[in-house]
């Protein structure tokens, strides 16, 4: 059973320099109770993907084609009212920046109460629920914490409060947008463990966005590799990390500092830059930076299923 | 009208004007300003009435073809008084703004380029003056000098200079550490030369836009002081004194007050709309200043 | 504190430089030289400048502002009698500007780029540009003289709150109208900034209703700079209050100072201006305290 199924999603933004094709033919599934990681460099379309799922694309952006099916409903066709009902209740989000994600002038308790505005519970019931959630994310003295303001918490605590808020309504899907990037390493590990624990407890699926390969490998069941607004490879974490089939995914894994042996003097990088998304190359989007380029790369590459559930968008994928 | 505009070369100036004209608000502002300036400049051509001639037989006449805006309690023609009042208002505005700019620039450069302690003293002085309500300042100065246009100019200068000097000071401080000033210093340029050739050209244009936006404030100060009897002396026409004449007789002859207030409203609106448009077009950074 | 002291110094210098003999004014033209000399000694005018200044400074800090030259009453008493009227006028002006400015600015920000936004923008600029005394006279003309909806002069019957409020409507509108524009612009600008911030995005991602986001989450932050702006603007409002008090023939500190200066009643001038300056400083402090009450980040720093 899949919770979220994205099919051939295309998103464009109208800009002064023409239409910017931010997501092109993006397809992947988030199965029930699984953690799916999305990895890619900055500018690869991760944020656009989140906004498209949440129905919060900027005014100049729109979904041109494709579908986002969540629990049987196509989110791209839902009206704003229904979309708003789903957000925070069935689909919830934890954002990257724990400093800016909480409202600075409302107490934590007030903000948590507001999130439950639809529940029909009494005020004390809501506060009891908030307190229980804070306790679950291991905020010390949860009852007193409700009366405090975001700036009175440390960065790591603030991120845990944000997680508590996101999971308050027991959503079916949690989107985590680089939730640990702003934290230091020890907090990062603790937060990841907390996320996994809560995911099992609430039995939700997680879409985990990160550029940190180590975290993805640690936490995720499945991986989606994005490049320049396209899904270039997807599969189970094991498949993608052990036998990457797309040249970009391979280079990305090679570039991960954690994989370098101690003797390497400098980190390998991928030469070149992401192409201008207003003028996408006619063929493979990675062709300009690819070291295995062949003539066939000038045509649109197919999505090649190399194994069950393991797909790469590369003409060379089957040949290997 | 605007030193900022006249500084530019002529083709640039035309382009500047075209850009302002393309904005509806800017075009409206220019139209109002031209109307008021034209009325003041060609006052003698537009009306044959002497603004100061007292004619007891014609007291309190309602607007008519002969007296477009009616007459006041001394039988003077209000239309003529409004046009000639415009001369006073606009010349005071220009003169006072130019004076405050000159003083503001000098003080700002001294504060920014001079020793630290002087900077601190001047800032404290600026803040103290700024926190004083303008009217209290005006009242106090008038007791010193007696009601006159000089008093009006001094009040305007006192009100405006702290703001201008502050901007010049900030910009000067920012530029003081910059590379091209250091380079000039290392080549042996004297302080006066650095100030004139390297710092002034960089700080002057935002200041000119601000000053042009302050013109309505200056007009309001002149009119306000004349309204209180602290500005121009009685026979001289001023929008403020017309307004005061009208206020005294507001129940029976409201047109006098209307005649005095309308030019103030139109002129301040005209200059403000023009200034806003210019600022938005040429210096969006200033937009945050409220 | 520093500002009050500097203001006192400036005040004293000004008063000292003003030509005219206060003793002569007080006693009128028929007084003898001996009488004037006697009063001069009583007022301390025979002493050297710095002694005069020290006396003035020292006495002022103890609340002794001297005596009204004309009526010989204590300046402090005379000023305090008039102060409530001016305070009511200023708070009336603030009420107008807040009651109209905040909703207008908020509306313009939510509807940004639309016709409504542009109209609010132009109106704001317009009301800022027009001087308050012109507003006062036109308001008097329209609502009191032509339409006869509201009273034209005075502050209302003492003790009758309703009547006093009715008399406050037009003068306070004259004081506050320009500030409607300032506040509308300020609120619009800070609303646009706040609506872009990360926590608003989070609130949307939690599915909170747009109304709640606008008013509870964004506006509560966006009005903070407005409070500070109002505190700084008190000085300007005092200026407008002088005009409003004269046009509407209301009692008040502004009118008091105006009359006192015209009659060279210096102790009253210095006293009233000093009280005004202190008031200005206190109201600024009040604005800071209000910001503290509204913003927990500032509160924890206090």
């Amino acid at each position: 059973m899949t919770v979220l199924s994205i099919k051939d999603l295309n998103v464009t933004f109208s800009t002064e320099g023409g239409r910017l094709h931010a997501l092109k033919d993006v397809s992947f599934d988030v199965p029930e109770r699984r953690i799916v990681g999305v990895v890619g460099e900055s500018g690869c379309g991760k944020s656009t993907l989140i906004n498209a799922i949440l129905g919060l694309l900027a005014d100049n952006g729109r979904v041109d084609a494709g579908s986002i099916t969540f629990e049987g409903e196509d989110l791209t066709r839902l009206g704003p009212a229904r979309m708003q009902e789903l957000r925070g209740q069935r689909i919830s989000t934890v954002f990257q920046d724990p400093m800016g994600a909480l409202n600075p002038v409302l107490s934590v308790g007030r903000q948590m109460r507001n999130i439950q505005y639809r529940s029909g519970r009494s005020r004390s019931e809501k506060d009891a629920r908030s307190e229980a959630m804070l306790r679950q994310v291991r905020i010390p003295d949860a009852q007193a914490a409700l009366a405090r303001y975001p700036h009175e918490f440390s960065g790591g605590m603030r991120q845990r409060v944000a997680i508590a808020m996101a999971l308050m309504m027991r959503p079916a899907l949690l989107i985590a947008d680089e939730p640990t990037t702003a934290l230091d390493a020890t907090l990062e590990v603790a937060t990841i463990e907390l996320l996994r624990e809560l995911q099992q407890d609430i039995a939700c699926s997680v879409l985990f966005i990160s550029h940190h390969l180590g975290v993805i490998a640690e936490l995720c069941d499945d991986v989606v590799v994005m490049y320049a607004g396209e899904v270039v490879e997807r599969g189970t974490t094991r498949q993608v990390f052990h036998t990457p089939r797309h040249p970009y995914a391979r280079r990305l894994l090679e570039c991960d500092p954690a994989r370098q042996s101690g003797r390497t003097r400098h980190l390998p990088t991928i030469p070149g830059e992401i192409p201008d998304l207003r003028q996408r190359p006619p063929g493979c989007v990675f062709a300009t930076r690819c070291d295995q380029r062949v003539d066939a790369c000038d045509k649109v590459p197919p999505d090649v299923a190399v194994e069950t559930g393991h797909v790469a968008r590369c003409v060379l994928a089957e040949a290997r | 009208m605007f030193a900022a505009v006249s500084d530019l070369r002529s083709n640039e100036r035309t382009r500047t004007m075209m850009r302002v004209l393309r904005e509806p608000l800017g075009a409206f502002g220019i139209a109002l300003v031209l109307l008021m300036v034209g009325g003041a400049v060609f006052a003698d051509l537009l009306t044959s009435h002497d603004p100061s001639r007292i004619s007891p037989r014609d007291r309190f006449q309602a607007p008519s073809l002969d007296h477009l805006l009616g007459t006041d309690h001394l039988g003077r023609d209000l239309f003529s008084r409004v046009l000639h009042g415009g001369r006073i208002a606009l010349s005071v505005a220009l003169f006072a703004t130019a004076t405050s700019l000159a003083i503001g620039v000098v003080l700002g450069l001294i504060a920014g380029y001079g020793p630290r302690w002087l900077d601190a003293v001047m800032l404290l002085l600026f803040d103290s003056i700024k926190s004083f309500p303008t009217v209290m300042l005006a009242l106090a100065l008038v007791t010193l000098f007696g009601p006159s246009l000089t008093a009006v100019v001094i009040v305007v200068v006192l009100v405006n200079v702290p703001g201008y000097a502050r901007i010049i000071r900030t910009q000067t401080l920012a530029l003081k550490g910059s590379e091209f000033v250091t380079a000039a210093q290392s080549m042996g340029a004297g302080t006066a030369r650095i100030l004139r050739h390297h710092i002034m050209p960089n700080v002057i244009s935002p200041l000119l836009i601000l000053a042009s936006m302050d013109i309505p404030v200056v007009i309001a100060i002149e009119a306000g002081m004349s309204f209180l009897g602290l500005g121009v002396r009685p026979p001289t026409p001023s929008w403020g004194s017309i307004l005061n004449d009208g206020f005294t007789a507001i129940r029976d002859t409201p047109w006098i007050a209307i005649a005095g207030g309308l030019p103030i409203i139109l002129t301040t609106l005209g200059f403000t709309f023009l200034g806003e448009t210019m600022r938005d077009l040429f210096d969006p950074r200033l937009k945050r200043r409220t | 504190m520093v500002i009050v002291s500097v203001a006192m110094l400036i005040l004293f210098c000004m008063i000292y430089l003003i030509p005219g003999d206060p003793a002569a004014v007080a006693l009128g033209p028929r007084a003898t030289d001996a009488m004037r000399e006697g009063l001069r000694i009583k007022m301390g005018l025979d002493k050297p400048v710095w002694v005069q200044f020290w006396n003035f400074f020292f006495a002022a800090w103890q609340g002794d502002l001297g005596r009204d030259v004309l009526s010989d009453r204590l300046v402090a008493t005379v000023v305090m009698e008039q102060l409530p009227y001016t305070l009511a006028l200023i708070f009336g002006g603030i009420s107008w500007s807040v009651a109209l400015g905040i909703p207008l600015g908020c509306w313009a920000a939510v509807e940004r780029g639309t016709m409504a936004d542009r109209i609010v923008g132009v109106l704001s600029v317009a009301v800022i540009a027009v001087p308050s005394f012109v507003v006062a006279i036109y308001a008097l003309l329209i609502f009191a003289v032509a339409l006869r909806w509201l009273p034209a002069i005075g502050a209302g019957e003492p003790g009758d709150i309703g009547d006093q409020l009715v008399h406050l409507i037009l003068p306070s509108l004259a004081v506050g109208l320009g500030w409607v524009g300032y506040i509308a612009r300020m609120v619009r600008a800070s609303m646009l900034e706040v609506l872009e911030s990360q926590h608003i995005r989070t609130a949307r991602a939690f599915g909170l209703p747009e109304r709640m986001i606008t008013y509870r989450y964004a506006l509560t932050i966006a009005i903070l700079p407005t409070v500070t702006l109002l505190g700084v603007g008190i000085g300007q409002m005092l200026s407008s209050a002088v005009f409003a008090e004269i046009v509407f023939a209301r009692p008040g500190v502004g009118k008091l100072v105006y009359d006192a200066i015209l009659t060279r009643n210096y102790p009253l001038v210095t006293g009233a201006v000093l009280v005004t300056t202190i008031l200005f400083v206190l109201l600024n402090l009040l604005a800071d305290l209000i910001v503290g009450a509204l913003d927990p980040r500032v509160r924890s720093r206090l």
Side-chain angles (χ1 to χ4, degrees):
Chain A
M1 174 74 189
T2 46
V3 170
L4 180 78
S5 174
I6 298 178
K7 275 239 147 30
D8 300 324
L9 184 68
N10 282 273
V11 172
T12 59
F13 291 96
S14 59
T15 65
E16 280 173 27
R19 287 205 83 76
L20 187 149
H21 207 149
L23 291 182
K24 190 186 171 210
D25 299 329
V26 168
S27 300
F28 67 90
D29 291 345
V30 179
E32 204 174 14
R33 304 180 85 155
R34 275 176 90 88
I35 302 182
V36 176
V38 176
V39 67
E41 298 164 286
S42 49
C44 71
K46 292 177 289 188
S47 312
T48 306
L49 179 66
I50 298 173
N51 287 335
I53 297 172
L54 291 171
L56 291 177
L57 283 174
D59 292 338
N60 60 341
R62 65 158 198 251
V63 174
D64 285 340
S67 62
I68 304 170
T69 312
F70 173 77
E71 296 189 316
E73 283 180 287
D74 183 357
L75 302 185
T76 62
R77 287 163 197 279
L78 289 184
R82 175 72 186 135
M83 202 58 231
Q84 189 195 314
E85 265 173 44
L86 290 177
R87 284 199 298 264
Q89 315 288 310
R90 303 300 300 152
I91 307 177
S92 210
T93 320
V94 178
F95 289 103
Q96 172 175 358
D97 175 20
M99 301 295 170
L102 305 177
N103 189 297
V105 300
L106 298 177
S107 69
V108 164
R110 178 89 175 269
Q111 293 184 56
M112 296 185 85
R113 205 187 300 141
N114 285 347
I115 295 172
Q116 306 174 66
Y117 75 103
R118 226 184 270 276
S119 67
R121 297 191 190 109
S122 76
R123 193 178 149 150
S124 57
E125 281 168 347
K126 286 180 188 168
D127 285 347
R129 170 95 187 104
S130 309
E131 198 188 319
M133 268 326 287
L134 286 185
R135 205 165 285 136
Q136 213 170 356
V137 296
R138 299 191 204 104
I139 298 289
D141 200 0
Q143 194 179 1
L146 287 180
R148 288 160 70 191
Y149 292 89
H151 71 273
E152 296 171 291
F153 294 92
S154 68
M157 290 231 286
R158 238 179 286 184
Q159 191 60 297
R160 297 214 297 274
V161 170
I163 292 171
M165 286 183 183
L167 295 177
M168 182 117 84
M169 304 312 288
R170 298 189 159 265
L173 175 68
L174 175 72
I175 300 174
D177 180 8
E178 310 230 9
T180 59
T181 309
L183 305 176
D184 58 43
T186 41
L187 281 174
E188 181 164 27
V189 174
T191 309
I192 300 256
E193 273 165 12
L194 180 69
L195 264 180
R196 201 206 317 261
E197 188 185 308
L198 289 167
Q199 181 254 340
Q200 265 151 24
D201 188 57
I202 291 174
C204 63
S205 310
V206 177
L207 186 62
F208 190 91
I209 320 281
S210 182
H211 62 259
H212 192 324
L213 291 166
V215 172
I216 299 261
E218 168 89 4
L219 180 72
C220 299
D221 304 309
D222 301 323
V223 181
V224 174
V225 181
M226 288 188 72
Y227 175 78
E230 293 187 36
V231 173
V232 292
E233 181 158 355
R234 62 191 146 95
T236 64
T237 307
R238 198 181 167 73
Q239 285 166 339
V240 174
F241 274 68
H242 285 263
T243 52
R245 290 304 170 86
H246 194 283
Y248 174 70
R250 251 191 326 266
R251 298 299 300 270
L252 194 66
L253 289 167
E254 281 167 14
C255 293
D256 184 15
R259 290 193 157 212
Q260 301 303 318
S261 54
R263 272 162 295 166
T264 325
R265 271 296 175 83
H266 47 251
L267 294 171
T269 51
I270 309 176
E273 281 170 21
I274 293 184
D276 183 357
L277 296 184
R278 281 169 301 205
Q279 281 140 22
R280 286 181 158 273
C284 173
V285 71
F286 188 60
T288 49
R289 294 168 80 182
C290 187
D291 53 4
Q292 295 166 14
R293 196 192 154 135
V294 293
D295 287 346
C297 295
D298 291 339
K299 295 199 199 78
V300 178
D303 278 343
V304 180
V306 280
E307 253 181 278
T308 329
H310 189 186
V311 177
R313 187 172 285 182
C314 178
V315 285
L316 298 173
E318 226 162 1
R320 267 177 70 101
Chain B
M1 183 88 293
F2 289 99
V5 176
S6 66
D7 266 2
L8 302 169
R9 264 171 274 114
S10 87
N11 62 336
E12 264 181 68
R13 193 184 331 171
T14 340
R15 208 160 356 124
T16 305
M17 290 321 270
M18 287 312 293
R19 277 174 73 190
V20 174
L21 277 172
R22 230 174 289 138
E23 302 283 321
L25 207 57
F28 184 53
I30 288 187
L32 281 180
V33 168
L34 287 181
L35 181 75
M36 300 320 289
V37 172
V41 171
F42 301 113
D44 295 325
L45 296 177
L46 291 168
T47 175
S48 53
H49 291 286
D50 179 345
S52 310
R53 202 177 61 92
I54 296 171
S55 152
R57 274 188 310 139
D58 301 326
R59 301 171 70 217
F60 295 126
Q61 283 197 13
S64 65
L65 270 182
D66 187 29
H67 300 287
L68 286 173
L69 294 171
T71 60
D72 66 6
H73 62 296
L74 296 174
R76 294 174 297 196
D77 178 55
L78 282 170
F79 184 61
S80 170
R81 283 182 74 72
V82 164
L83 293 184
H84 283 89
R87 286 189 172 177
I88 301 284
L90 293 171
S91 42
V92 166
L94 274 183
F95 180 68
T97 305
T99 314
S100 5
L101 269 177
I103 299 177
V105 166
V106 171
L107 290 183
L109 286 175
I110 293 175
Y113 214 83
R116 259 267 177 69
W117 63 268
L118 193 60
D119 184 29
V121 169
M122 286 171 92
L123 278 188
L124 184 66
L125 208 63
F126 293 160
D127 284 349
S128 310
I129 293 175
K130 277 229 110 157
S131 63
F132 244 62
T134 316
V135 174
M136 301 281 174
L137 208 65
L139 284 167
L141 278 164
V142 167
T143 23
L144 259 178
F145 300 102
S148 64
L149 280 180
T150 323
V152 175
V153 173
I154 294 176
V155 171
V156 171
V157 167
L158 277 176
V159 169
N160 280 346
V161 160
Y164 300 159
R166 240 176 196 288
I167 290 175
I168 291 284
R169 168 190 171 269
T170 321
Q171 302 255 3
T172 311
L173 282 178
L175 286 170
K176 201 158 109 179
S178 72
E179 282 171 23
F180 66 89
V181 170
T182 322
Q185 268 170 339
S186 65
M187 285 160 72
T191 307
R193 194 186 155 75
I194 289 178
L195 288 178
R196 200 167 56 242
H197 290 281
H198 298 280
I199 292 189
M200 280 298 288
N202 282 293
V203 295
I204 206 78
S205 70
L207 193 67
L208 283 174
I209 293 181
L210 274 191
S212 72
M213 293 187 68
D214 277 342
I215 285 187
V217 178
V218 179
I219 290 176
I221 291 176
E222 188 272 319
M225 287 179 67
S226 298
F227 174 72
L228 293 179
L230 311 174
V232 296
R233 297 305 202 106
T236 322
S238 156
W239 295 338
S241 52
I242 300 173
L243 200 56
N244 192 18
D245 296 341
F247 166 61
T248 322
I250 200 162
R251 279 184 194 283
D252 306 314
T253 56
W255 61 84
I256 307 178
I258 296 176
L262 214 54
I264 304 178
I265 295 177
L266 293 182
T267 316
T268 47
L269 281 186
F271 276 106
T272 307
F273 287 156
L274 182 57
E276 291 272 325
T277 315
M278 299 224 323
R279 184 201 53 188
D280 290 355
L281 285 180
F282 305 119
D283 204 353
R285 272 176 308 152
L286 289 173
K287 213 167 181 171
R288 310 234 56 177
R289 190 191 87 135
T290 313
Chain C
M1 208 63 107
V2 176
I3 289 185
V4 175
S5 302
V6 173
M8 282 170 73
L9 180 63
I10 295 175
L11 257 178
F12 182 81
C13 295
M14 271 184 185
I15 300 295
Y16 191 78
L17 289 171
I18 292 173
D21 184 350
V25 176
L27 295 172
R30 281 184 296 169
T32 63
D33 281 352
M35 284 166 74
R36 285 194 204 112
E37 201 49 45
L39 186 66
R40 237 179 250 137
I41 291 169
K42 190 178 151 213
M43 290 170 80
L45 292 174
D46 56 331
K47 307 222 174 65
V49 189
W50 62 271
V51 176
Q52 282 189 44
F53 177 68
W54 177 249
N55 287 342
F56 166 71
F57 196 85
F58 191 71
W61 275 123
Q62 293 183 322
D64 176 10
L65 299 172
R67 279 174 185 279
D68 180 347
V69 179
L70 293 178
S71 68
D72 202 38
R73 295 165 68 214
L74 280 174
V75 166
T77 321
V78 178
V79 175
M80 286 305 162
E81 266 172 19
Q82 304 290 319
L83 195 58
Y85 293 104
T86 303
L87 277 180
L89 192 55
I90 285 174
F91 281 114
I94 292 179
S95 310
W96 274 108
S97 55
V98 166
L100 293 177
I102 291 181
L104 279 176
C106 190
W107 187 48
V110 173
E111 305 278 321
R112 74 173 172 285
T114 63
M115 205 58 201
D117 178 21
R118 234 165 294 161
I119 290 172
V120 171
V122 172
L123 275 182
S124 309
V125 176
V127 296
I128 295 172
V130 177
S132 73
F133 63 94
V134 182
V135 177
I137 287 179
Y138 273 49
L140 177 80
L141 198 61
I142 296 168
F143 295 107
V145 176
L147 298 171
R148 293 178 188 282
W149 286 353
L150 293 162
I153 54 167
E157 287 297 314
D160 183 348
I161 299 289
D163 192 40
Q164 287 185 353
L165 281 179
V166 170
H167 278 81
L168 196 59
I169 296 178
L170 287 182
S172 60
L173 177 68
V175 171
L177 189 64
W179 283 86
V180 174
Y182 277 122
I183 291 182
R185 291 178 73 160
M186 188 82 176
V187 167
R188 177 182 180 276
S190 48
M191 265 303 264
L192 287 181
E193 198 179 311
V194 174
L195 283 174
E196 290 292 306
S197 58
Q198 177 64 42
H199 61 83
I200 294 296
R201 189 173 168 225
T202 312
R204 291 218 171 94
F206 285 147
L208 297 181
E210 209 50 39
R211 275 177 62 103
M212 190 193 263
I213 291 177
T214 307
Y215 297 107
R216 293 278 176 73
Y217 280 63
L219 190 59
T220 42
I221 300 173
I223 58 169
L224 296 175
T226 307
V227 181
T228 317
L229 181 75
L230 273 172
V232 179
I234 297 289
Q236 213 180 317
M237 286 203 195
L238 282 168
S239 289
S240 312
V242 175
F243 287 106
E245 282 165 5
I246 290 168
V247 170
F248 293 96
R250 279 175 65 88
V253 178
K255 195 162 157 43
L256 185 75
V257 177
Y258 179 64
D259 293 340
I261 286 195
L262 294 186
T263 53
R264 310 212 157 202
N265 194 343
Y266 300 132
L268 202 54
V269 178
T270 35
V273 175
L274 204 59
V275 168
T276 321
T277 316
I278 294 170
L279 186 71
F280 173 79
V281 174
L282 285 180
L283 287 176
N284 261 313
L285 198 67
L286 181 69
D288 287 346
L289 288 176
I290 292 175
V291 170
L294 294 176
D295 188 345
R297 291 166 295 180
V298 176
R299 188 161 60 223
S300 63
R301 237 180 287 137
L302 285 177

